[in-house]
Amino acid sequence: MKPPDPRDIIELARELCVFPTGIVADGNDALLARLARELPFVVSRFRTGDSHNGWVIPSNWRVERATISRDGKVVYDGTVHPLGVGMYSKSFVGKLDFEALKAKIVTNPDLPDAHMFHCVWQIRSWAADWRLCVPHRIFATMGPGEYDVDLRTSYEPGAMPVAVYDHAGRDPRTIVLHTNICHPTQANDGFCAVAALVRLFQELRGRDTFYTYRFLLAPEHIGSVMYCRDIGRAGLEKIVSTIFMEMPGNRAPLAVTSTFLGGQPIDRVFAEASRALPLGVRRAEWRQGCGNAETVWEAPGH
């Protein structure tokens, strides 16, 4: 199989990064419409409040206003960037001194122009407080004094999408390749993997394969939880193995974690394939060094 052109993958990832996506978000439909031009995905939707094993589909959260002002002058406007407000923050309107305000600001001096991605309340919406994700170059201009905060957010019922594309093989047993779509504007942690898998599955079209291959686009953890619930035992028994892919855009060795038991066929496949990778491979045991939704795929009973 001819490998996809890296430049083409980067260009597609750049396009996908413009959509303000989330577990439940207004930008999800536009993202899926763009991806439908690449592959004919079948999309399922899970409504707000639907739950399984303690995981609950959140509401559609929107930011209406998010300013920090001092002496009547706006110091920071969180609506200028999709990551400008901690996701699922509650509303807050009031005055705070600088020491109190600092506790509500997420910033990073090592990335002075970046809005940090504060996302934990996407999956723990019941624990939400509020945060503003201020680039450090702006934060550094702030100092002692009193500030006016005007943060107004809203929550409405919505739906979480899960998109599937199948390449049918001679055998119905299936290898699933899964990545997330819930990290808005995140090139490496999300959309590089989406773009790479799109190009991979386009290469598979028309090819004769033994196994069936499934491309699953779903919010990490909660998307695979709901998907596994709905395909049921019969659907799960057809799955040979699942590979969760993220962060392939680093110019660094590929990180590969073992299965829970270790020594499984997919472990041996990765060990063999990794020998040909020019940047090498950093191997890790289960949940050591990196990990994501493999905890869902390996969970007994899901």
Side-chain angles (χ1 to χ4, degrees), residues 70-86:
R70 184 177 184 184
D71 299 327
K73 181 180 179 181
V74 173
V75 176
Y76 173 69
D77 184 351
T79 64
V80 301
H81 193 280
L83 305 184
V85 179

Side-chain angles (χ1 to χ4, degrees), residues 46-90:
F46 299 84
R47 305 300 302 179
T48 293
D50 196 359
S51 64
H52 185 61
N53 280 356
W55 295 89
V56 182
I57 307 300
S59 299
N60 188 1
W61 171 81
R62 300 184 180 97
V63 179
E64 298 168 0
R65 186 172 174 82
T67 59
I68 301 172
S69 302
R70 184 177 184 184
D71 299 327
K73 181 180 179 181
V74 173
V75 176
Y76 173 69
D77 184 351
T79 64
V80 301
H81 193 280
L83 305 184
V85 179
M87 298 190 77
Y88 283 80
S89 288
K90 294 181 177 180

Side-chain angles (χ1 to χ4, degrees), residues 162-214:
V162 171
V164 173
Y165 171 76
D166 277 349
H167 168 79
R170 285 175 277 129
D171 194 295
R173 286 178 293 173
T174 301
I175 297 172
V176 177
L177 289 92
H178 172 205
T179 192
N180 73 73
I181 55 173
C182 56
H183 294 175
T185 78
Q186 304 296 287
N188 191 33
D189 188 3
F191 291 117
C192 280
V194 176
L197 289 178
V198 164
R199 297 301 183 230
L200 172 63
F201 275 80
Q202 287 173 336
E203 287 289 329
L204 283 176
R205 285 185 298 190
R207 291 180 177 269
D208 177 29
T209 62
F210 178 77
Y211 287 113
T212 293
Y213 291 87
R214 177 166 299 156

